Amino acid sequence: MDTHWLSAPADEVGAAMATVRRDSRPRWVPTRRQVLVHVNHCLILWYLCIAFMIIGVRVDSYQDGETTTGDIAGLTAIIAILAAWLFATYFLHRWAARPPSPRARLKDWRRDLTALANGFIPSPSSAATFSSIITPRSRGVREYPRFVAPGVEFGTLTHHRARSVTWHYIAVALPAPLPHLILDATSNNRRGSDLPVDVARSQRLSLEGDFDRWFHVYSPTAYGADALYVLTPDVMAALIDEASGYNVEIVDDALVFFSPAIVDFGSPAHWEAVDSVLTRVAPRILAKAFQYVDERVPGQEVPRALTALLAAREEPDVRWTPPTPRIGTDGRRLDVRDPNEGIAPVLGAIGWFALLAFLYAVPGIFAFAGFMSVIDGR
């Protein structure tokens, strides 16, 4: 990996980005300024709530509903402070709407130039771009940063479900589908498995050597031998040496490496780690996918070479095209349970709306009630 842009002088980085004319930060990724605007709005509501409730309680409970000169003066001061605050909020909005300064964007520019120098295009996505246990539903998925090349993508994926979950991932397209396979890296299992789904233990497959110390392998019950076809000794050695920090999933024609670790693409070490996976691990599995045929599927019992010879004998003038390979029904998916399905998403949605109500609706209602108590006073 060419990582010289990560340490190049700032003026060179700025000049290079000016020629590239690319900005990979999408509008749906909030900036710190935009977050500050939302915090400011919330504080305004709570300020009005506390201020009006103090005066309203004093008028109703201690002054028998009578408004004094001091109450009017306090109300005037509250409105004056609010006016000044709203005036400042206007400029805060304008400041937040401005694009980040070149200095603030320098880290993103270094990251994007490094990707471009290695043949990857920065391409963030507001939906899942591949199928995996870390993307059970495309909604609520954000992929940013995301770097794409033909047949490969990697970056950071955030899934907003019952709770926000972030993954560093590398996804590689396979030339043909393979049976569903999950490798749970033990290095990440500090308090049990960090997989986003629960896998039935009956599908656990024990392999030779000390591979079980590094990965827990799960394969469909009837496809244990097929898993051994993929996980040959050289593949297992490469996984231990280069990808021991990643969970691995093979599903349909996708090979996905994912880890809960937060990755800083401003560090050369993380680019080198991605390069190691893509050059030393993925090609070995791609070779297995290219050769694999599920003979359980009707029409795939005969080897491809023999099928091609028979077709050439029957129709010598017609070029034989191999059929699209398929995986048997029993091997397409492992038996897994998503703990975020069922009641969990409902409770998460209720909790989210309750939090919004507490931050915005509750202070707004009480501020209005306190204000009306002052207005209704005699």
Side-chain angles (χ1 to χ4, degrees):
M1 283 281 187
D2 179 0
T3 59
H4 80 278
W5 286 113
L6 299 179
S7 56
D11 56 344
E12 291 185 16
V13 174
M17 284 302 296
T19 60
V20 171
R21 296 184 181 275
R22 178 184 297 273
D23 187 358
S24 67
R25 176 178 286 271
R27 293 184 177 181
W28 42 262
V29 176
T31 64
R32 293 182 180 179
R33 297 177 181 181
Q34 293 168 339
V35 173
L36 182 60
V37 169
H38 285 285
V39 172
N40 176 74
H41 292 168
C42 184
L43 290 176
I44 289 177
L45 287 175
W46 278 101
Y47 161 72
L48 293 176
C49 171
I50 295 172
F52 284 144
M53 285 301 298
I54 289 175
I55 297 179
V57 169
R58 185 172 63 197
V59 170
D60 286 342
S61 301
Y62 298 100
Q63 299 173 186
D64 195 23
E66 293 186 1
T67 303
T68 64
T69 305
D71 299 325
I72 300 299
L75 186 61
T76 303
I78 291 172
I79 295 176
I81 294 174
L82 175 63
W85 198 339
L86 292 177
F87 183 73
T89 299
Y90 168 75
F91 289 99
L92 178 64
H93 268 279
R94 294 188 58 181
W95 176 67
R98 291 165 52 189
S101 64
R103 182 177 180 181
R105 290 187 291 178
L106 183 61
K107 182 178 180 180
D108 291 349
W109 289 354
R110 293 185 185 278
R111 181 190 65 201
D112 293 349
L113 287 172
T114 301
L116 293 170
N118 291 282
F120 296 95
I121 299 175
S123 181
S125 175
S126 59
T129 54
F130 59 94
S131 176
S132 170
I133 57 175
I134 62 174
T135 60
R137 292 174 296 275
S138 62
R139 295 184 61 186
V141 173
R142 299 288 186 269
E143 295 172 358
Y144 176 79
R146 173 176 174 257
F147 308 104
V148 180
V152 178
E153 67 173 84
F154 65 93
T156 299
L157 182 148
T158 303
H159 198 168
H160 300 283
R161 304 196 291 186
R163 59 188 180 89
S164 181
V165 181
T166 299
W167 300 97
H168 162 51
Y169 77 94
I170 306 170
V172 181
L174 297 175
L178 286 172
H180 199 188
L181 196 66
I182 293 178
L183 281 65
D184 180 11
T186 58
S187 61
N188 301 326
N189 297 344
R190 293 175 177 82
R191 295 183 178 180
S193 174
D194 67 338
L195 293 177
V197 297
D198 297 326
V199 188
R201 295 186 62 84
S202 60
Q203 301 169 111
R204 173 85 180 271
L205 182 65
S206 181
L207 301 181
E208 62 182 17
D210 62 349
F211 192 73
D212 289 349
R213 291 176 46 206
W214 297 90
F215 293 94
H216 294 164
V217 180
Y218 297 92
S219 168
T221 305
Y223 280 75
D226 302 71
L228 296 178
Y229 170 81
V230 176
L231 299 174
T232 52
D234 64 310
V235 173
M236 291 191 290
L239 285 167
I240 293 173
D241 293 340
E242 309 296 344
S244 60
Y246 290 94
N247 302 307
V248 184
E249 182 185 16
I250 298 175
V251 54
D252 298 329
D253 59 353
L255 168 63
V256 183
F257 301 83
F258 59 96
S259 167
I262 302 300
V263 172
D264 177 14
F265 286 106
S267 168
H270 289 126
W271 289 92
E272 296 298 337
V274 170
D275 182 63
S276 295
V277 171
L278 293 178
T279 58
R280 301 173 189 174
V281 182
R284 299 177 186 271
I285 300 178
L286 264 67
K288 300 295 182 182
F290 184 78
Q291 300 172 359
Y292 177 80
V293 176
D294 187 356
E295 298 179 354
R296 302 170 183 81
V297 177
Q300 297 184 170
E301 311 92 343
V302 181
R304 292 180 185 174
L306 181 56
T307 303
L309 289 174
L310 294 175
R313 288 181 57 184
E314 294 176 1
E315 298 179 293
D317 297 331
V318 178
R319 182 178 180 181
W320 179 75
T321 302
T324 302
R326 293 175 293 158
I327 302 298
T329 304
D330 294 338
R332 292 177 188 170
R333 292 293 183 273
L334 282 158
D335 180 15
V336 300
R337 185 184 67 86
D338 188 347
N340 290 294
E341 290 182 348
I343 193 65
V346 177
L347 295 177
I350 293 175
W352 174 247
F353 282 112
L355 177 62
L356 291 179
F358 175 76
L359 292 177
Y360 292 97
V362 170
I365 292 173
F366 278 91
F368 178 75
F371 179 75
M372 292 306 298
S373 296
V374 178
I375 296 300
D376 291 341
R378 294 186 297 273

